[in-house]
Amino acid sequence: MKKFILYGFMVLLFGVALWWVLSQKSSEAIQSTKAEFTMEAGRLYHEFWANEAEANEKYLNKIIRVSGEVVDFSAEGK
């Protein structure tokens, strides 16, 4: 029983240490990365509205600098 508690504590300690290291990661890496596309929010919206499949192929997993006013955002496409 003592070994089980010891191993459980070690796993918990490792998990907390891993979480702490990952949470301390600086956002400087993404801020210094050059955007592949720069556009107004309205243009990006209209490109997805006109042809979502083509826009996904063009912009998915790319860094996009968007300017302008965003009225609504949904990650699930609702």
Side-chain angles (χ1 to χ4, degrees), residues 4 48 57-58 63-64:
F4 179 73
F48 272 93
E57 191 172 315
K58 186 175 181 181
I63 298 173
I64 306 169

Side-chain angles (χ1 to χ4, degrees), residues 11-53:
V11 168
L12 178 66
L13 185 62
F14 178 76
V16 168
L18 181 63
W19 170 81
W20 184 80
V21 167
L22 293 176
S23 69
Q24 299 302 312
K25 200 172 193 180
S26 174
S27 64
E28 291 175 11
I30 192 71
Q31 290 175 354
S32 64
T33 304
K34 184 174 166 72
E36 295 179 48
F37 299 97
T38 302
M39 64 182 63
E40 292 284 326
R43 178 176 164 220
L44 182 63
Y45 172 79
H46 287 295
E47 285 197 36
F48 272 93
W49 184 257
N51 189 343
E52 185 175 352

